[in-house]
Amino acid sequence: NAGVMQNPRHLVRRRGQEARLRCSPMKGHSHVYWYRQLPEEGLKFMVYLQKENIIDESGMPKERFSAEFPKEGPSILRIQQVVRGDSAAYFCASSQVQGSGETQYFGPGTRLLVL
Amino acid sequence: GDSVTQMEGPVTLSEEAFLTINCTYTATGYPSLFWYVQYPGEGLQLLLKATKADDKGSNKGFEATYRKETTSFHLEKGSVQVSDSAVYFCALSDLGTGNQFYFGTGTSLTVIP
């Protein structure tokens, strides 16, 4: 059973460009979470999605950031007009169900560098 | 709101030393508690978890006990190995806040031979 897949693993963008980060959850998992890890910090929750629905986006910046999880295909985290402060590692996690104690399984992350 | 406070690092230990990494939490509901480990350049891997008070999670020689009275979930290992060198994150999930995970800032552990 393949784990959570993320691509690309490393992404370099210039200021003002768009970044698209992809996440394929574990087989059988329908809940996807995105987190951001800034240097020397822990992970911060960004958004929680189920297929075709955004359930909780309380951690998403109000501008330039969007996420989707279509019926078919991977979940996408999209950052428009990137700025240097967007440089971070972005991790996707998935779970089979939602419930207290349900383990979230993490992907290897996408490390975004904005020049 | 919910939060996790974790012992700051970095921590450097000699092989076979005893390890404790402190973690305390604040939660509005009845959270589940987790320890994740992150090796350089990789994602987080679940190390152990506990879902209710007095539960003990254990894996690979690591263990942590969910203490509701002290709101703590300290990670311990009796004899560390060089291969344990990594960053350790304490985390909680609380269904009352949408089941998102709240992470501590991480504790970097280096074990020297």
Side-chain angles (χ1 to χ4, degrees), chain A residues 27-71:
Chain A
K27 188 176 180 181
H29 287 192
S30 58
H31 301 256
V32 167
Y33 308 79
W34 285 93
Y35 294 83
R36 177 165 60 178
Q37 183 180 33
L38 294 170
E40 308 301 322
E41 293 187 15
L43 279 73
K44 303 293 186 187
F45 169 78
M46 298 181 75
V47 62
Y48 162 39
L49 310 103
Q50 294 179 28
K51 287 283 187 181
E52 301 183 281
N53 282 304
I54 297 174
I55 308 301
D56 180 357
E57 55 181 350
S58 59
M60 287 276 271
K62 293 290 185 283
E63 297 178 348
R64 303 187 297 109
F65 285 71
S66 62
E68 62 177 10
F69 188 16
K71 188 176 181 180

Side-chain angles (χ1 to χ4, degrees), chain A residues 11-19 21 35-39 46 60-66 77-91 110-115:
Chain A
L11 183 60
V12 180
R13 286 287 178 265
R14 296 191 180 280
R15 281 179 297 170
Q17 292 184 318
E18 179 180 285
L21 288 62
Y35 294 83
R36 177 165 60 178
Q37 183 180 33
L38 294 170
M46 298 181 75
M60 287 276 271
K62 293 290 185 283
E63 297 178 348
R64 303 187 297 109
F65 285 71
S66 62
L77 179 67
R78 182 182 177 206
I79 311 172
Q80 296 178 287
Q81 300 176 315
V82 296
V83 301
R84 288 212 175 114
D86 297 333
S87 296
Y90 292 83
F91 290 96
T110 294
R111 282 149 182 85
L112 172 65
L113 175 63
V114 179
L115 301 177

Side-chain angles (χ1 to χ4, degrees), chain A residues 9 35 98-101 103-104 107, chain B residues 32 36 38 41 43 49 98-99 101:
Chain A
R9 294 291 302 272
Y35 294 83
Q98 182 195 23
S100 185
T103 298
Q104 291 183 14
Chain B
S32 295
Y36 281 83
Q38 184 180 32
K49 72 178 189 181
N99 209 42
F101 272 41

